[in-house]
Amino acid sequence: MLRRWILSTLVIFLCIILVACNNTNTQQPQAEATSNTNFQELSKISAKRVVTLSSLTTDIISQLDKTKLVGISGSTLFKNDPRFQDITRVSEGQSPPNLEKIVSLKPDLVIGAEGFSNQPIQRLQQLGIATLLTQVNTWSSLEDTTKKIAQLIDANPQPLLEKYKSFIPEETKATTSTLVLVSTQPILTPNKNSWAGDLLEKFPVKNLAAELQGKSPIAGYVTLSPEKVLAANPEVIILITPPQGGSKTAVLDDFKKDGFWQKLQASTNNRVYVFDYYGLVNPGSIDAIKKACEQLKQYLL
């Protein structure tokens, strides 16, 4: 049990590093240029054959105009989703995209995620294929990315933007002191400069780590000592399942085994909740974001 918890924590830690890389601007100069590549030039095209290299952009295009998708990256989020059963996978798991397969699909646009897709995107650019790198680390960047993609595939973004709004409560005054703990070895929590931290600000939540800064190697996250957690003593604690999936009960049970946690009011009041990695830590997909928002409403409103 202990070994499984350590392994799960390590997986979460490594995945957050990848997400943080995606959410920072410390990319190589070529990659940064790709991300900002003359969107005005790109906007002149009306893409009809699109390959997506991230689950979020796959979902966005599917909900804007599914007929434009000819290739997608494999994702556990869509493993049993009938929307994507007949669409070519250009990658699976953590394997890099198959460039030959992408080229064979004759796309007029390939969309990737900055920090994850930089190298294949650069190579596709060299082959003369139009590309776009996206970066979603805040709610506003989700909306902006949706608008850009809609413009490139000649679709109306408004229905999807309205759908996003329905996820968020009208009342956002911070009332419930909360800590999101994405790992406990080390104790890692998101501040406001992360997708999770920004999402929490849309709810009546007082993220106790929002303004904290530290020496964590992961942008948007800080490490806490047990003493700091005890001093903060949040009303609510949110734990995260491993990105590869796992039992929420197991995550909660492992959390409760350490006597330190039993001293927190969130534990004594049974206000420790477990969220999926996708949606709260990594946006992942629109459905994952919706689910995370529904849970935040359920537990915090």
Side-chain angles (χ1 to χ4, degrees):
M1 184 72 74
L2 178 60
R3 183 183 178 189
R4 183 187 66 193
W5 176 244
I6 292 174
L7 289 174
S8 296
T9 299
L10 180 60
V11 169
I12 293 176
F13 190 78
L14 292 175
C15 287
I16 293 170
I17 290 177
L18 290 175
V19 173
C21 290
N22 179 35
N23 291 344
T24 61
N25 294 319
T26 57
Q27 307 296 332
Q28 297 176 356
Q30 304 97 304
E32 186 175 339
T34 304
S35 177
N36 299 320
T37 298
N38 308 315
F39 182 74
Q40 289 185 340
E41 272 186 37
L42 273 182
S43 64
K44 296 175 184 177
I45 72 172
S46 180
K48 294 178 173 58
R49 298 182 61 82
V50 183
V51 172
T52 53
L53 304 182
S54 75
S55 58
L56 181 58
T57 54
T58 295
D59 203 9
I60 289 173
I61 293 185
S62 175
Q63 300 203 37
L64 289 172
D65 185 352
K66 180 188 172 183
T67 66
K68 303 296 175 64
L69 275 175
V70 296
I72 65 174
S73 57
S75 171
T76 56
L77 291 170
F78 305 138
K79 186 176 181 180
N80 300 312
D81 194 323
R83 293 179 297 165
F84 308 110
Q85 285 183 352
D86 299 325
I87 300 178
T88 300
R89 263 61 171 176
V90 298
S91 69
E92 288 293 344
Q94 299 299 317
S95 62
N98 186 318
L99 295 183
E100 290 184 4
K101 187 177 286 189
I102 293 175
V103 173
S104 71
L105 292 171
K106 299 180 180 179
D108 45 24
L109 178 65
V110 177
I111 303 176
E114 190 164 347
F116 289 94
S117 314
N118 297 59
Q119 290 186 354
I121 286 291
Q122 289 173 21
R123 180 60 181 144
L124 291 167
Q125 277 191 316
Q126 293 169 0
L127 295 174
I129 298 174
T131 65
L132 175 70
L133 277 175
T134 61
Q135 185 182 63
V136 177
N137 54 6
T138 62
W139 192 265
S140 62
S141 63
L142 171 64
E143 294 175 326
D144 184 60
T145 295
T146 300
K147 291 175 186 176
K148 285 183 176 180
I149 291 176
Q151 184 175 348
L152 294 176
I153 65 173
D154 195 24
N156 178 14
Q158 204 55 42
L160 191 50
L161 295 174
E162 290 298 323
K163 185 175 183 177
Y164 296 161
K165 288 182 181 178
S166 72
F167 300 166
I168 303 299
E170 294 182 6
E171 176 60 53
T172 59
K173 184 179 179 181
T175 56
T176 307
S177 63
T178 304
L179 276 179
V180 175
L181 303 180
V182 300
S183 67
T184 57
Q185 296 178 357
I187 301 174
L188 201 64
T189 186
N191 62 20
K192 65 180 181 180
N193 300 317
S194 64
W195 166 260
D198 186 76
L199 182 58
L200 287 176
E201 291 186 355
K202 303 292 185 292
F203 289 81
V205 174
K206 182 181 180 182
N207 178 12
L208 297 179
E211 301 297 333
L212 296 181
Q213 301 296 325
K215 296 181 180 180
S216 168
I218 305 175
Y221 288 80
V222 294
T223 53
L224 300 178
S225 65
E227 292 76 17
K228 285 187 176 180
V229 177
L230 278 170
N233 200 15
E235 298 171 76
V236 169
I237 289 177
I238 295 174
L239 305 176
I240 305 297
T241 61
Q244 77 273 25
S247 166
K248 292 186 177 182
T249 301
V251 172
L252 191 57
D253 287 346
D254 285 331
F255 168 87
K256 291 179 177 179
K257 285 181 179 178
D258 194 327
F260 151 66
W261 302 109
Q262 300 306 316
K263 300 176 183 179
L264 298 168
Q265 64 169 325
S267 293
T268 58
N269 295 330
N270 291 317
R271 300 201 70 185
V272 180
Y273 308 112
V274 184
F275 282 50
D276 291 334
Y277 168 80
Y278 290 107
L280 188 59
V281 175
N282 181 333
S285 71
I286 295 170
D287 286 342
I289 295 169
K290 178 183 178 181
K291 181 179 177 181
C293 290
E294 288 175 345
Q295 285 183 289
L296 288 170
K297 288 178 182 178
Q298 177 184 352
Y299 298 139
L300 299 172
L301 290 184

mmCIF file of all heavy atoms in Angstrom, residues 167-202:
data_model
loop_
_atom_site.group_PDB
_atom_site.id
_atom_site.type_symbol
_atom_site.label_atom_id
_atom_site.label_comp_id
_atom_site.label_asym_id
_atom_site.label_seq_id
_atom_site.Cartn_x
_atom_site.Cartn_y
_atom_site.Cartn_z
ATOM 1 N N PHE A 167 -20.492 26.577 -16.282
ATOM 2 C CA PHE A 167 -19.742 25.787 -15.296
ATOM 3 C C PHE A 167 -19.474 26.581 -14.021
ATOM 4 O O PHE A 167 -19.225 25.990 -12.965
ATOM 5 C CB PHE A 167 -18.388 25.342 -15.860
ATOM 6 C CG PHE A 167 -18.446 24.477 -17.087
ATOM 7 C CD1 PHE A 167 -17.309 24.262 -17.844
ATOM 8 C CD2 PHE A 167 -19.624 23.869 -17.489
ATOM 9 C CE1 PHE A 167 -17.332 23.453 -18.970
ATOM 10 C CE2 PHE A 167 -19.672 23.064 -18.629
ATOM 11 C CZ PHE A 167 -18.523 22.856 -19.363
ATOM 12 N N ILE A 168 -19.483 27.905 -14.133
ATOM 13 C CA ILE A 168 -19.007 28.776 -13.052
ATOM 14 C C ILE A 168 -20.182 29.399 -12.300
ATOM 15 O O ILE A 168 -21.122 29.907 -12.913
ATOM 16 C CB ILE A 168 -18.120 29.900 -13.628
ATOM 17 C CG1 ILE A 168 -16.954 29.318 -14.408
ATOM 18 C CG2 ILE A 168 -17.603 30.798 -12.513
ATOM 19 C CD1 ILE A 168 -16.034 28.445 -13.601
ATOM 20 N N PRO A 169 -20.150 29.392 -10.973
ATOM 21 C CA PRO A 169 -21.237 30.023 -10.199
ATOM 22 C C PRO A 169 -21.174 31.539 -10.308
ATOM 23 O O PRO A 169 -20.121 32.122 -10.576
ATOM 24 C CB PRO A 169 -20.961 29.554 -8.772
ATOM 25 C CG PRO A 169 -19.475 29.344 -8.728
ATOM 26 C CD PRO A 169 -19.115 28.823 -10.098
ATOM 27 N N GLU A 170 -22.313 32.170 -10.106
ATOM 28 C CA GLU A 170 -22.355 33.635 -10.160
ATOM 29 C C GLU A 170 -21.678 34.241 -8.936
ATOM 30 O O GLU A 170 -21.039 35.282 -9.025
ATOM 31 C CB GLU A 170 -23.810 34.102 -10.252
ATOM 32 C CG GLU A 170 -24.493 33.706 -11.555
ATOM 33 C CD GLU A 170 -25.913 34.226 -11.631
ATOM 34 O OE1 GLU A 170 -26.317 34.992 -10.717
ATOM 35 O OE2 GLU A 170 -26.629 33.876 -12.581
ATOM 36 N N GLU A 171 -21.815 33.601 -7.798
ATOM 37 C CA GLU A 171 -21.216 34.103 -6.556
ATOM 38 C C GLU A 171 -19.808 33.557 -6.411
ATOM 39 O O GLU A 171 -19.600 32.343 -6.385
ATOM 40 C CB GLU A 171 -22.054 33.674 -5.346
ATOM 41 C CG GLU A 171 -21.459 34.078 -4.010
ATOM 42 C CD GLU A 171 -21.308 35.573 -3.877
ATOM 43 O OE1 GLU A 171 -22.290 36.295 -4.088
ATOM 44 O OE2 GLU A 171 -20.176 36.010 -3.579
ATOM 45 N N THR A 172 -18.812 34.447 -6.354
ATOM 46 C CA THR A 172 -17.422 34.005 -6.264
ATOM 47 C C THR A 172 -16.694 34.577 -5.045
ATOM 48 O O THR A 172 -15.484 34.509 -4.976
ATOM 49 C CB THR A 172 -16.646 34.406 -7.538
ATOM 50 O OG1 THR A 172 -16.701 35.835 -7.694
ATOM 51 C CG2 THR A 172 -17.229 33.727 -8.770
ATOM 52 N N LYS A 173 -17.423 35.142 -4.105
ATOM 53 C CA LYS A 173 -16.779 35.693 -2.917
ATOM 54 C C LYS A 173 -16.126 34.568 -2.120
ATOM 55 O O LYS A 173 -16.754 33.578 -1.771
ATOM 56 C CB LYS A 173 -17.799 36.425 -2.042
ATOM 57 C CG LYS A 173 -17.171 37.102 -0.826
ATOM 58 C CD LYS A 173 -18.222 37.831 -0.011
ATOM 59 C CE LYS A 173 -17.597 38.486 1.212
ATOM 60 N NZ LYS A 173 -18.623 39.188 2.042
ATOM 61 N N ALA A 174 -14.834 34.723 -1.833
ATOM 62 C CA ALA A 174 -14.083 33.679 -1.133
ATOM 63 C C ALA A 174 -14.599 33.519 0.296
ATOM 64 O O ALA A 174 -14.615 34.469 1.075
ATOM 65 C CB ALA A 174 -12.606 34.023 -1.130
ATOM 66 N N THR A 175 -15.032 32.305 0.622
ATOM 67 C CA THR A 175 -15.562 32.065 1.957
ATOM 68 C C THR A 175 -14.954 30.826 2.629
ATOM 69 O O THR A 175 -14.790 30.808 3.836
ATOM 70 C CB THR A 175 -17.092 31.879 1.907
ATOM 71 O OG1 THR A 175 -17.397 30.817 0.987
ATOM 72 C CG2 THR A 175 -17.781 33.151 1.449
ATOM 73 N N THR A 176 -14.648 29.797 1.867
ATOM 74 C CA THR A 176 -14.187 28.537 2.440
ATOM 75 C C THR A 176 -12.685 28.386 2.282
ATOM 76 O O THR A 176 -12.177 28.312 1.158
ATOM 77 C CB THR A 176 -14.891 27.345 1.767
ATOM 78 O OG1 THR A 176 -16.305 27.542 1.823
ATOM 79 C CG2 THR A 176 -14.528 26.039 2.457
ATOM 80 N N SER A 177 -11.964 28.331 3.396
ATOM 81 C CA SER A 177 -10.510 28.173 3.320
ATOM 82 C C SER A 177 -10.185 26.765 2.833
ATOM 83 O O SER A 177 -10.703 25.777 3.348
ATOM 84 C CB SER A 177 -9.868 28.436 4.681
ATOM 85 O OG SER A 177 -10.297 27.491 5.638
ATOM 86 N N THR A 178 -9.324 26.701 1.811
ATOM 87 C CA THR A 178 -9.098 25.437 1.112
ATOM 88 C C THR A 178 -7.630 25.275 0.734
ATOM 89 O O THR A 178 -6.943 26.251 0.423
ATOM 90 C CB THR A 178 -9.948 25.388 -0.174
ATOM 91 O OG1 THR A 178 -11.327 25.585 0.160
ATOM 92 C CG2 THR A 178 -9.784 24.076 -0.908
ATOM 93 N N LEU A 179 -7.170 24.031 0.766
ATOM 94 C CA LEU A 179 -5.875 23.674 0.204
ATOM 95 C C LEU A 179 -6.071 22.502 -0.750
ATOM 96 O O LEU A 179 -6.738 21.519 -0.412
ATOM 97 C CB LEU A 179 -4.877 23.270 1.294
ATOM 98 C CG LEU A 179 -4.104 24.382 2.003
ATOM 99 C CD1 LEU A 179 -3.182 23.773 3.065
ATOM 100 C CD2 LEU A 179 -3.293 25.228 1.029
ATOM 101 N N VAL A 180 -5.503 22.619 -1.937
ATOM 102 C CA VAL A 180 -5.458 21.504 -2.872
ATOM 103 C C VAL A 180 -4.086 20.861 -2.731
ATOM 104 O O VAL A 180 -3.060 21.528 -2.903
ATOM 105 C CB VAL A 180 -5.669 21.972 -4.322
ATOM 106 C CG1 VAL A 180 -5.503 20.804 -5.293
ATOM 107 C CG2 VAL A 180 -7.045 22.599 -4.487
ATOM 108 N N LEU A 181 -4.047 19.597 -2.402
ATOM 109 C CA LEU A 181 -2.781 18.885 -2.233
ATOM 110 C C LEU A 181 -2.635 17.879 -3.368
ATOM 111 O O LEU A 181 -3.319 16.856 -3.392
ATOM 112 C CB LEU A 181 -2.726 18.187 -0.883
ATOM 113 C CG LEU A 181 -2.920 19.098 0.343
ATOM 114 C CD1 LEU A 181 -2.853 18.282 1.615
ATOM 115 C CD2 LEU A 181 -1.882 20.219 0.356
ATOM 116 N N VAL A 182 -1.767 18.208 -4.320
ATOM 117 C CA VAL A 182 -1.604 17.319 -5.470
ATOM 118 C C VAL A 182 -0.640 16.183 -5.157
ATOM 119 O O VAL A 182 -0.587 15.188 -5.881
ATOM 120 C CB VAL A 182 -1.132 18.094 -6.710
ATOM 121 C CG1 VAL A 182 -2.145 19.167 -7.087
ATOM 122 C CG2 VAL A 182 0.228 18.735 -6.486
ATOM 123 N N SER A 183 0.126 16.323 -4.091
ATOM 124 C CA SER A 183 0.984 15.240 -3.619
ATOM 125 C C SER A 183 1.284 15.494 -2.149
ATOM 126 O O SER A 183 1.179 16.622 -1.673
ATOM 127 C CB SER A 183 2.281 15.164 -4.427
ATOM 128 O OG SER A 183 3.090 16.301 -4.202
ATOM 129 N N THR A 184 1.656 14.446 -1.452
ATOM 130 C CA THR A 184 1.984 14.598 -0.027
ATOM 131 C C THR A 184 3.435 14.274 0.280
ATOM 132 O O THR A 184 3.876 14.421 1.406
ATOM 133 C CB THR A 184 1.077 13.707 0.834
ATOM 134 O OG1 THR A 184 1.204 12.356 0.401
ATOM 135 C CG2 THR A 184 -0.364 14.166 0.734
ATOM 136 N N GLN A 185 4.174 13.811 -0.710
ATOM 137 C CA GLN A 185 5.611 13.526 -0.550
ATOM 138 C C GLN A 185 6.349 14.029 -1.790
ATOM 139 O O GLN A 185 6.584 13.247 -2.711
ATOM 140 C CB GLN A 185 5.839 12.027 -0.349
ATOM 141 C CG GLN A 185 5.229 11.472 0.910
ATOM 142 C CD GLN A 185 5.435 9.976 1.037
ATOM 143 O OE1 GLN A 185 5.994 9.331 0.157
ATOM 144 N NE2 GLN A 185 4.986 9.402 2.126
ATOM 145 N N PRO A 186 6.668 15.312 -1.885
ATOM 146 C CA PRO A 186 6.459 16.394 -0.919
ATOM 147 C C PRO A 186 5.021 16.899 -0.936
ATOM 148 O O PRO A 186 4.243 16.538 -1.821
ATOM 149 C CB PRO A 186 7.402 17.483 -1.434
ATOM 150 C CG PRO A 186 7.382 17.294 -2.920
ATOM 151 C CD PRO A 186 7.332 15.805 -3.120
ATOM 152 N N ILE A 187 4.688 17.749 0.033
ATOM 153 C CA ILE A 187 3.367 18.364 0.065
ATOM 154 C C ILE A 187 3.386 19.504 -0.951
ATOM 155 O O ILE A 187 4.049 20.519 -0.760
ATOM 156 C CB ILE A 187 3.038 18.902 1.471
ATOM 157 C CG1 ILE A 187 3.092 17.773 2.495
ATOM 158 C CG2 ILE A 187 1.666 19.557 1.476
ATOM 159 C CD1 ILE A 187 2.925 18.231 3.932
ATOM 160 N N LEU A 188 2.666 19.314 -2.015
ATOM 161 C CA LEU A 188 2.701 20.254 -3.142
ATOM 162 C C LEU A 188 1.311 20.825 -3.354
ATOM 163 O O LEU A 188 0.327 20.080 -3.412
ATOM 164 C CB LEU A 188 3.174 19.529 -4.400
ATOM 165 C CG LEU A 188 3.741 20.350 -5.559
ATOM 166 C CD1 LEU A 188 5.017 21.063 -5.121
ATOM 167 C CD2 LEU A 188 4.016 19.441 -6.752
ATOM 168 N N THR A 189 1.210 22.146 -3.460
ATOM 169 C CA THR A 189 -0.091 22.798 -3.596
ATOM 170 C C THR A 189 -0.023 23.921 -4.633
ATOM 171 O O THR A 189 1.024 24.575 -4.766
ATOM 172 C CB THR A 189 -0.554 23.361 -2.236
ATOM 173 O OG1 THR A 189 -1.890 23.875 -2.352
ATOM 174 C CG2 THR A 189 0.358 24.476 -1.756
ATOM 175 N N PRO A 190 -1.090 24.154 -5.396
ATOM 176 C CA PRO A 190 -1.070 25.192 -6.424
ATOM 177 C C PRO A 190 -1.310 26.584 -5.850
ATOM 178 O O PRO A 190 -2.182 26.771 -4.999
ATOM 179 C CB PRO A 190 -2.213 24.785 -7.358
ATOM 180 C CG PRO A 190 -3.177 24.071 -6.461
ATOM 181 C CD PRO A 190 -2.325 23.355 -5.450
ATOM 182 N N ASN A 191 -0.524 27.555 -6.323
ATOM 183 C CA ASN A 191 -0.842 28.945 -6.004
ATOM 184 C C ASN A 191 -1.698 29.504 -7.152
ATOM 185 O O ASN A 191 -2.167 28.751 -8.011
ATOM 186 C CB ASN A 191 0.428 29.769 -5.745
ATOM 187 C CG ASN A 191 1.353 29.850 -6.952
ATOM 188 O OD1 ASN A 191 0.956 29.631 -8.103
ATOM 189 N ND2 ASN A 191 2.619 30.163 -6.712
ATOM 190 N N LYS A 192 -1.875 30.803 -7.195
ATOM 191 C CA LYS A 192 -2.788 31.389 -8.176
ATOM 192 C C LYS A 192 -2.240 31.337 -9.605
ATOM 193 O O LYS A 192 -2.980 31.568 -10.564
ATOM 194 C CB LYS A 192 -3.106 32.838 -7.802
ATOM 195 C CG LYS A 192 -1.898 33.777 -7.857
ATOM 196 C CD LYS A 192 -2.304 35.190 -7.473
ATOM 197 C CE LYS A 192 -1.114 36.140 -7.545
ATOM 198 N NZ LYS A 192 -1.501 37.526 -7.173
ATOM 199 N N ASN A 193 -0.938 31.040 -9.757
ATOM 200 C CA ASN A 193 -0.321 31.045 -11.080
ATOM 201 C C ASN A 193 -0.345 29.670 -11.740
ATOM 202 O O ASN A 193 0.622 29.256 -12.372
ATOM 203 C CB ASN A 193 1.126 31.552 -10.980
ATOM 204 C CG ASN A 193 1.205 32.954 -10.421
ATOM 205 O OD1 ASN A 193 0.424 33.818 -10.798
ATOM 206 N ND2 ASN A 193 2.133 33.180 -9.511
ATOM 207 N N SER A 194 -1.436 28.969 -11.579
ATOM 208 C CA SER A 194 -1.597 27.636 -12.150
ATOM 209 C C SER A 194 -3.034 27.501 -12.627
ATOM 210 O O SER A 194 -3.909 28.294 -12.240
ATOM 211 C CB SER A 194 -1.300 26.557 -11.102
ATOM 212 O OG SER A 194 -2.246 26.638 -10.044
ATOM 213 N N TRP A 195 -3.292 26.495 -13.458
ATOM 214 C CA TRP A 195 -4.664 26.250 -13.890
ATOM 215 C C TRP A 195 -5.567 26.001 -12.669
ATOM 216 O O TRP A 195 -6.650 26.580 -12.556
ATOM 217 C CB TRP A 195 -4.724 25.056 -14.846
ATOM 218 C CG TRP A 195 -6.126 24.550 -15.059
ATOM 219 C CD1 TRP A 195 -6.713 23.473 -14.459
ATOM 220 C CD2 TRP A 195 -7.137 25.148 -15.894
ATOM 221 N NE1 TRP A 195 -8.022 23.348 -14.866
ATOM 222 C CE2 TRP A 195 -8.308 24.356 -15.746
ATOM 223 C CE3 TRP A 195 -7.158 26.259 -16.739
ATOM 224 C CZ2 TRP A 195 -9.491 24.648 -16.431
ATOM 225 C CZ3 TRP A 195 -8.352 26.551 -17.415
ATOM 226 C CH2 TRP A 195 -9.488 25.754 -17.263
ATOM 227 N N ALA A 196 -5.107 25.162 -11.748
ATOM 228 C CA ALA A 196 -5.908 24.848 -10.566
ATOM 229 C C ALA A 196 -6.175 26.094 -9.730
ATOM 230 O O ALA A 196 -7.306 26.348 -9.299
ATOM 231 C CB ALA A 196 -5.212 23.789 -9.714
ATOM 232 N N GLY A 197 -5.126 26.881 -9.502
ATOM 233 C CA GLY A 197 -5.273 28.086 -8.697
ATOM 234 C C GLY A 197 -6.206 29.096 -9.331
ATOM 235 O O GLY A 197 -7.026 29.723 -8.654
ATOM 236 N N ASP A 198 -6.103 29.251 -10.653
ATOM 237 C CA ASP A 198 -6.970 30.194 -11.356
ATOM 238 C C ASP A 198 -8.417 29.717 -11.335
ATOM 239 O O ASP A 198 -9.341 30.511 -11.150
ATOM 240 C CB ASP A 198 -6.491 30.361 -12.801
ATOM 241 C CG ASP A 198 -7.263 31.440 -13.547
ATOM 242 O OD1 ASP A 198 -6.997 32.634 -13.303
ATOM 243 O OD2 ASP A 198 -8.144 31.091 -14.367
ATOM 244 N N LEU A 199 -8.617 28.399 -11.489
ATOM 245 C CA LEU A 199 -9.980 27.861 -11.462
ATOM 246 C C LEU A 199 -10.620 28.062 -10.097
ATOM 247 O O LEU A 199 -11.799 28.411 -9.996
ATOM 248 C CB LEU A 199 -9.952 26.371 -11.826
ATOM 249 C CG LEU A 199 -11.309 25.664 -11.902
ATOM 250 C CD1 LEU A 199 -12.221 26.335 -12.922
ATOM 251 C CD2 LEU A 199 -11.115 24.193 -12.247
ATOM 252 N N LEU A 200 -9.856 27.865 -9.033
ATOM 253 C CA LEU A 200 -10.395 28.031 -7.682
ATOM 254 C C LEU A 200 -10.916 29.451 -7.456
ATOM 255 O O LEU A 200 -11.873 29.665 -6.707
ATOM 256 C CB LEU A 200 -9.330 27.702 -6.638
ATOM 257 C CG LEU A 200 -8.976 26.224 -6.463
ATOM 258 C CD1 LEU A 200 -7.840 26.072 -5.457
ATOM 259 C CD2 LEU A 200 -10.186 25.409 -6.029
ATOM 260 N N GLU A 201 -10.286 30.420 -8.112
ATOM 261 C CA GLU A 201 -10.709 31.808 -7.939
ATOM 262 C C GLU A 201 -12.089 32.071 -8.523
ATOM 263 O O GLU A 201 -12.698 33.104 -8.247
ATOM 264 C CB GLU A 201 -9.681 32.757 -8.565
ATOM 265 C CG GLU A 201 -8.355 32.793 -7.804
ATOM 266 C CD GLU A 201 -7.395 33.832 -8.348
ATOM 267 O OE1 GLU A 201 -7.720 34.454 -9.383
ATOM 268 O OE2 GLU A 201 -6.334 34.031 -7.736
ATOM 269 N N LYS A 202 -12.589 31.149 -9.342
ATOM 270 C CA LYS A 202 -13.922 31.305 -9.933
ATOM 271 C C LYS A 202 -15.012 30.804 -8.984
ATOM 272 O O LYS A 202 -16.198 30.882 -9.303
ATOM 273 C CB LYS A 202 -14.005 30.530 -11.256
ATOM 274 C CG LYS A 202 -12.948 30.930 -12.285
ATOM 275 C CD LYS A 202 -13.182 32.335 -12.802
ATOM 276 C CE LYS A 202 -12.229 32.712 -13.914
ATOM 277 N NZ LYS A 202 -10.839 32.847 -13.497
#
